């Protein structure tokens, strides 16, 4: 790539349409360096007074957006959820430094997620989850662990001599 220099970058972002989404919602844009605790603390405080919040992320931050949404759902079990996924398309153009080389076009598609959480009922649509419709194992109690009791070396030696 030493014979090329980076030129124009064209980004085409995916647009999500969600039925029932309010005009003025809290939009949380999660980045790879974002701290989950900071995001969820802010989101929890906003959900006390607001009716809808949206989490959006792309690439390496998607798992953080999902975690934040799930934490809010644990604290507000009545939340309705709509999840949309897609791709942002980036086209990079590389200009040749040397005559005789062609202009390069590199296309990258970066995954994107958009999660809308709402206290108000949302119309059923693709990606909709009703309150409490998550996997049943999330609501179950964890079983108590049963540790096998191991005898100390001195107890083993005493029992061998008794026999």
């Amino acid at each position: 790539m030493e014979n090329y220099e980076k030129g124009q970058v064209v980004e085409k972002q995916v647009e999500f349409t969600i039925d029932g989404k309010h005009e003025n919602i809290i939009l949380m844009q999660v980045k790879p360096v974002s701290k989950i605790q900071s995001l969820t603390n802010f989101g929890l405080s906003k959900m006390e007074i607001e009716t809808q919040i949206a989490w959006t992320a792309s690439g390496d931050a998607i798992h953080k957006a999902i975690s934040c949404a799930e934490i809010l759902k644990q604290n507000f079990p009545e939340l309705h959820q709509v999840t949309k996924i897609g791709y942002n398309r980036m086209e990079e153009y590389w200009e040749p430094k040397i005559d005789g080389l062609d202009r390069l076009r590199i296309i990258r598609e970066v995954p994107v997620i958009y999660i809308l959480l709402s206290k108000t009922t949302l119309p059923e649509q693709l990606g909709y989850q009703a309150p409490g419709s998550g996997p049943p194992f999330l609501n179950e109690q964890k079983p108590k662990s049963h540790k096998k009791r191991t005898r100390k070396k001195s107890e083993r030696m005493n029992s061998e001599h008794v026999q």
Side-chain angles (χ1 to χ4, degrees):
M1 293 300 286
E2 64 272 353
N3 295 326
Y4 288 90
E5 62 183 23
K6 193 172 185 178
Q8 181 184 12
V9 177
V10 178
E11 187 173 347
K12 297 175 185 172
Q13 293 193 352
V14 65
E15 300 264 338
F16 295 114
T17 56
I18 297 177
D19 296 335
K21 182 175 89 170
H22 297 163
E23 286 290 321
N24 298 324
I25 64 170
I26 305 297
L27 181 62
M28 302 292 292
Q29 294 182 328
V30 182
K31 305 288 182 193
V33 295
S34 300
K35 303 287 184 210
I36 291 177
Q37 185 173 6
S38 300
L39 293 168
T40 54
N41 286 343
F42 183 78
L44 288 168
S45 67
K46 288 297 182 182
M47 282 307 286
E48 294 289 338
I49 51 176
E50 300 291 335
T51 58
Q52 289 186 342
I53 189 169
W55 300 91
T56 183
S58 65
D60 293 337
I62 289 178
H63 69 282
K64 288 186 177 188
I66 294 169
S67 296
C68 291
E70 291 299 325
I71 291 169
L72 253 69
K73 285 171 48 178
Q74 286 177 352
N75 287 279
F76 296 94
E78 74 278 4
L79 290 177
H80 298 260
Q81 176 180 333
V82 175
T83 304
K84 300 287 183 180
I85 55 175
Y87 289 93
N88 284 342
R89 183 182 176 108
M90 298 180 71
E91 294 181 12
E92 295 178 350
Y93 293 93
W94 292 78
E95 306 299 334
K97 293 180 182 177
I98 303 172
D99 290 337
L101 296 176
D102 293 332
R103 181 182 193 204
L104 298 178
R105 182 179 80 164
I106 298 172
I107 298 172
R108 291 187 295 140
E109 290 187 332
V110 181
V112 179
I113 192 165
Y114 186 95
I115 304 169
L116 175 66
L117 299 175
S118 177
K119 290 180 182 177
T120 58
T121 304
L122 296 169
E124 290 214 18
Q125 55 196 299
L126 188 62
Y128 175 74
Q129 286 184 357
S133 65
F137 63 86
L138 290 178
N139 300 326
E140 293 178 0
Q141 295 281 336
K142 290 184 179 178
K144 294 180 181 178
S145 64
H146 298 285
K147 291 186 178 180
K148 184 178 178 182
R149 183 174 177 264
T150 58
R151 296 188 298 177
K152 295 180 184 176
K153 185 176 180 181
S154 60
E155 290 177 349
R156 285 193 305 259
M157 291 178 73
N158 287 340
S159 66
E160 290 173 3
H161 292 285
V162 171
Q163 295 175 353

